[in-house]
Amino acid sequence: MERLPGFRDFYPEPLPHSDVWSADARHYLFETWRAAARHYGFREYDGPPLEPLEMYTMKSGAEIVGQLYNFTDKGDRAVSLRPELTPSLARMVAAHERNYKKPIKWFGLPQLFRYERQQKGRLREHFQFNADILGEADLGADAEMLALAIDALRAFGLTADDFVLRLSSRQAWHDFFHQRHPDSTREYEFYQIIDKLEREAPEESSHKLAALGFSYDEIRAFINAGEPTPELQSIVQNLAARGLAAFVKVDYGVIRGLAYYTGTVFEAFDKKGEFRAIAGGGRYDNLVKLISGGKVDLPALGFGMGDVVLLELLKARKLLPAFGANVDVYCLIEDEALRLESLRLIQHLRAAGLAVEYSFTPLKPDKQFKRALELRAKHTAKVDRSGAAPAVRVKDLRSREEKLVAWDDAVKTLAGEGG
Ligand code: HAM
């Protein structure tokens, strides 16, 4: 039985095949993202992986709707696996916003599903670090979001030489469109052409733009001029005060494909331009109102950072650490008469927070020791009954130094506190 195209198997390292993904690396990503979010005071949330189809039609925009993993369930409901978390967040916040002080700062680590053509950096399932702020219209929140995205990437060892946040403004593009075009029903269509500008042949974009009354050259001129709006200037200044100016660049080549963005938008890219976007986000001040049928109106903004592109980038820059079993202690049971007492020791060490391994069945002492080395355990420990009271013989596998410690001192020694 084969797995479905665009889906992944996650194995513990060392990986058995180049075609599988590392469960250890995934865990590392999640923990690093969680730590970054915590530094910024964000709280974790999650929604259901399956939502009413209606949640995404109209609200997310044509591109995502075309990629929905949707079906009719046994209760005749039109449903879809979530392609993104933002509409669920808007629904959840709208339902209970009175219970939370504003601004609401939440993050999530959902698995998302998009039925798109499998290609480099794009699969049918991915995990995304989502961080959003709701109930804050001030541009200080926009800068805070960008700073979090930057710090989340820096936490993996990436620097300003590796990535850049391309900062743009839907408002600037909105003004551009309306100065030249009277029909706002075609505005989103226009945004989608701009969004694809870098991925499509110029003739094709040119042709589509002409149908809306724009010339390719005037679009390019607007992007090349890159005149930052006062809003973008204030955000850049805010980031510069934190020493993060090198990580952002005003760039109107970014507009974002999703329909709901209203203000600041941004995408993070590797500087060599080898990979697809690492992250993307922006302000979406009308989505909560739209999802709640007008009942709740809250400004909002946030971003999503995918695991697929980020892992590709970290691998290419050799920034992924070596992952192992993380065994603190391998308990040697060389005399089967001591198995029960060894189990008592194992339980004692595990209760103290140490990771302990041992052989379930009788095994020659040299085999047990070999296994301890294979697992890269920090120490071996074995029960010693040679004295009056049970003691523990501890060996440091790096220095190969061995010593006999009292039962009650074993934890201290093995946790590296006893010297
Ligand atoms: P998005 O640009 O669709 O935004 O996705 C964000 C990131 O998720 C992308 O930059 C990319 O790294 C990753 N990603 C997206 N689709 C795939 C895929 N098929 N395979 C692998 N990685 C993928 C959103 O989803 C917005 N909801 C983000 C947001 C949160 N905006 C405000 N708050």
Side-chain angles (χ1 to χ4, degrees), residues 84 86 114 116 121 123 126 128 132 256 260-261 277-278 302:
E84 57 159 341
T86 315
R114 298 183 188 181
E116 59 180 309
L123 300 173
H126 71 283
Q128 219 184 62
D132 292 83
R256 303 282 294 143
Y260 49 65
Y261 292 112
I278 310 164

Side-chain angles (χ1 to χ4, degrees), residues 158-398:
L158 293 165
T159 68
D161 291 334
D162 298 309
F163 75 93
V164 65
L165 262 55
R166 300 168 63 194
L167 181 60
S168 177
S169 162
R170 269 278 168 100
Q171 192 58 46
W173 276 112
H174 173 87
D175 295 345
F176 178 93
F177 181 87
H178 281 278
Q179 278 155 16
R180 295 161 175 83
H181 207 288
D183 182 5
S184 33
T185 60
R186 306 200 68 181
E187 192 171 332
Y188 177 55
E189 189 185 333
F190 172 71
Y191 291 170
Q192 283 187 294
I193 304 170
I194 304 300
D195 183 51
K196 292 208 175 63
L197 221 50
E198 287 170 9
R199 278 170 280 148
E200 234 167 36
E203 307 76 57
E204 191 161 348
S205 302
S206 204
H207 180 72
K208 288 185 192 164
L209 284 166
L212 288 179
F214 294 95
S215 82
Y216 186 77
D217 289 345
E218 71 179 319
I219 300 291
R220 282 254 67 108
F222 178 69
I223 294 173
N224 291 342
E227 199 57 54
T229 61
E231 290 79 17
L232 294 185
Q233 263 165 1
S234 130
I235 294 168
V236 171
Q237 219 170 33
N238 180 312
L239 290 169
R242 308 173 195 224
L244 299 179
F247 293 93
V248 278
K249 182 178 97 184
V250 170
D251 183 344
Y252 291 139
V254 165
I255 192 167
R256 303 282 294 143
L258 291 157
Y260 49 65
Y261 292 112
T262 52
T264 315
V265 284
F266 76 92
E267 286 189 343
F269 282 93
D270 71 287
K271 272 214 162 153
K272 289 191 187 160
E274 290 171 47
F275 302 95
R276 298 282 298 255
I278 310 164
R283 217 173 233 290
Y284 51 96
D285 285 344
N286 303 328
L287 185 65
V288 176
K289 193 170 175 192
L290 188 69
I291 295 252
S292 68
K295 289 199 197 78
V296 180
D297 192 0
L298 279 177
L301 70 161
F303 68 82
M305 182 181 289
D307 70 325
V308 178
V309 179
L310 180 55
L311 278 170
E312 284 174 350
L313 177 63
L314 293 178
K315 253 185 253 170
R317 301 288 174 271
K318 304 205 172 358
L319 286 170
L320 282 174
F323 300 106
N326 279 328
V327 173
D328 295 310
V329 183
Y330 191 95
C331 184
L332 302 166
I333 308 174
E334 297 177 352
D335 176 358
E336 281 303 311
L338 294 178
R339 179 165 288 271
L340 296 183
E341 203 147 13
S342 299
L343 289 171
R344 188 161 75 88
L345 175 66
I346 289 162
Q347 191 66 15
H348 173 62
L349 299 178
R350 284 178 174 166
L354 291 164
V356 188
E357 270 282 12
Y358 67 100
S359 171
F360 292 140
T361 52
L363 202 63
K364 287 206 177 93
D366 59 329
K367 290 248 169 76
Q368 292 187 45
F369 191 71
K370 193 166 157 239
R371 185 77 190 118
L373 293 179
E374 279 166 6
L375 288 167
R376 294 173 191 270
K378 295 191 191 88
H379 292 94
T380 57
K382 66 183 165 200
V383 173
D384 187 298
R385 295 291 334 220
S386 57
V392 183
R393 190 165 290 277
V394 170
K395 185 174 196 157
D396 183 320
L397 290 185
R398 258 159 297 181

